[in-house]
Each structure stands twice: as structure tokens, then as C-alpha cells.
Amino acid sequence: MRIRTFALSLAGASLLASSALAGTITGTVVYDDKVPNLRPLSMDADPACAEKHDSPVKPDLLVLGDGNTMANVFVKVTNPPETDSSAPTEPVVIDQVGCMYEPHVVGVRVGQPLQFRNSDGILHNVHGLPDKNREFNLGMPASLKQKETTFNEPEEFFPVKCDVHPWMKAYVAVMTHPFFDVTDKDGKFTIDGLPDGTYTVEAWHEKLGTRTQEISVSGGEGGPAEFTFQVPK
């Protein structure tokens, strides 16, 4: 009994030590430039889309929160540690709401389902244009509520569009590891599960390019990483 108890104690200590090594990088992404006056989207081509909104809809090109924090910025570790984590079986979801894709930017693991939903109850089609993976074009009539696809190869930021509503666009990154996040309007991101070490963290925006920083994780903590974007001169 004493031997078994001692072995269990060692296993518990090992588990605690392993958990202690799992570090987190946090940070914020901010836009520091003149804010453009983006023209509202013209949805007049499909009255069913226009009727879903009570006010003009701005494009997802630049979505800012308080203090000009930035949404839709994809943040990843470019030199990730080795991991034996398998791709989640739970799908990443992009919904079609008000004739817009929500969310606008997503990351999905190789082999993980990417699910498209149609909450609008009108005709859409989901046309993905990857380079390394197979192109897909999913017709989604009003009666079809969801469809899924998966990807076999890692690939960065390919566009998804709707051929029925040309203003609709989203971006998908297919990743081999879990060390990434996408910002909301508060501009914040969190990347968990990193052992101690120094990592290159990259922030990507569809029009403003990329920013990188070297961030060290020590004792389970790293950062914070602060990224600032301006319009290229």
C-alpha cells in the first residue's frame, strides 16, 4: 500500500510540474493611424439582405473597439513547440448572419471540421479558394442550415466568398498546432500551453500586413505582447 501511495504521489507531483510548465502569452492589438471613413456596404442587389439591417453596415475591413483596439487580427506562434495534441473533433463555425460571415477570420486545425451555417434563411453559397487544399463551393439554399469541410494541408489565410453576395468575405488559416488566437473588438489575444522558451509571435491583418515580436515565457508567464498597426506608407 505504501509503495502504491508513493507512486501515486510521484505521478501527482509530475502532473503538477507539467501543468506549471504550461505558459501563456497574452497581449493586445491596436490601430495607431488615421481611421478611414469606410463606405457602407451596398446590399441593394438583394433586398432580403438589406432588410436584415436597421442601419448601414460597414465592411469588416477594419473593425475597431474602444481606444482603436483591433478585431480580426490572427495571432500565432511561428516557432511552436512540439505537441502531441490531436485536432479537435468539435468544428470551427462560420455563420452567415445578415449576409455577413461571422466571424470574419478563423483558424482551424488540419483535419478539424470547418462548419458553415446559414442563419439567414436565404440562398448563399460558400466558395473557398485555398491554394494547397482543395477548392470548395458549397451551395446553401434557405432550407440547408449547415455544411462541413476539412483540410489535409496547412495553409495560411485563404479567402472564402459568397458568389451570390459579392461583399461577403472571410479568411481561414489551417494550422498544424493549437498556438494561435483571433482578436475581438477589444484587441486581446491569449495563447496557452507554451513551455518555457522564447517564441516568435506574429500578428496578421488582411490589409495591414504582419507584425512580429520575440516573447519569452518563463515560469508559466510570457509577455504581454503589444502590436500596433498603421497604414503602409
Side-chain angles (χ1 to χ4, degrees):
M1 178 66 70
R2 292 172 110 187
I3 293 175
R4 182 172 183 272
T5 302
F6 181 65
L8 288 174
S9 297
L10 283 178
S14 176
L15 180 61
L16 288 173
S18 176
S19 298
L21 290 175
T24 300
I25 293 176
T26 61
T28 307
V29 183
V30 176
Y31 179 75
D32 183 22
D33 210 330
K34 182 180 179 180
V35 178
N37 184 20
L38 298 177
R39 182 180 300 177
L41 297 171
S42 176
M43 297 187 178
D44 296 340
D46 190 340
C49 291
E51 289 172 1
K52 294 181 179 294
H53 300 277
D54 297 326
S55 59
V57 180
K58 292 292 184 70
D60 289 329
L61 185 64
L62 184 65
V63 178
L64 302 178
D66 294 338
N68 284 353
T69 53
M70 294 179 66
N72 300 323
V73 176
F74 190 94
V75 184
K76 68 175 181 179
V77 173
T78 64
N79 58 334
E82 291 186 6
T83 176
D84 58 1
S85 68
S86 57
T89 57
E90 181 179 356
V92 172
V93 175
I94 297 179
D95 203 351
Q96 294 162 104
V97 181
C99 299
M100 301 287 285
Y101 287 124
E102 294 184 1
H104 182 61
V105 177
V106 300
V108 62
R109 299 277 298 279
V110 171
Q112 181 181 15
L114 176 60
Q115 183 181 101
F116 293 94
R117 295 179 182 172
N118 184 358
S119 293
D120 278 335
I122 63 174
L123 173 65
H124 287 296
N125 89 297
V126 181
H127 191 174
L129 297 167
D131 289 325
K132 297 180 180 178
N133 290 279
R134 181 178 297 178
E135 181 178 344
F136 58 93
N137 199 338
L138 310 176
M140 299 195 71
S143 59
L144 185 61
K145 298 304 180 185
Q146 65 185 49
K147 271 193 172 183
E148 290 186 359
T149 188
T150 57
F151 308 99
N152 297 323
E153 300 292 336
E155 183 163 354
E156 293 190 351
F157 313 121
F158 67 82
V160 174
K161 65 176 183 174
C162 177
D163 294 330
V164 181
H165 308 108
W167 60 84
M168 293 178 65
K169 182 175 283 190
Y171 290 91
V172 177
V174 184
M175 305 294 291
T176 59
H177 61 81
F179 306 111
F180 61 88
D181 198 9
V182 182
T183 61
D184 290 323
K185 285 183 71 173
D186 63 4
K188 296 186 181 301
F189 63 89
T190 300
I191 300 175
D192 292 315
L194 292 164
D196 285 2
T198 299
Y199 300 98
T200 302
V201 183
E202 179 184 273
W204 171 92
H205 182 268
E206 62 185 278
K207 291 295 183 184
L208 302 181
T210 61
R211 303 287 186 274
T212 60
Q213 287 189 33
E214 298 294 315
I215 301 294
S216 293
V217 174
S218 179
E221 296 183 0
E226 306 295 333
F227 291 97
T228 302
F229 281 85
Q230 298 92 17
V231 176
K233 304 302 181 185

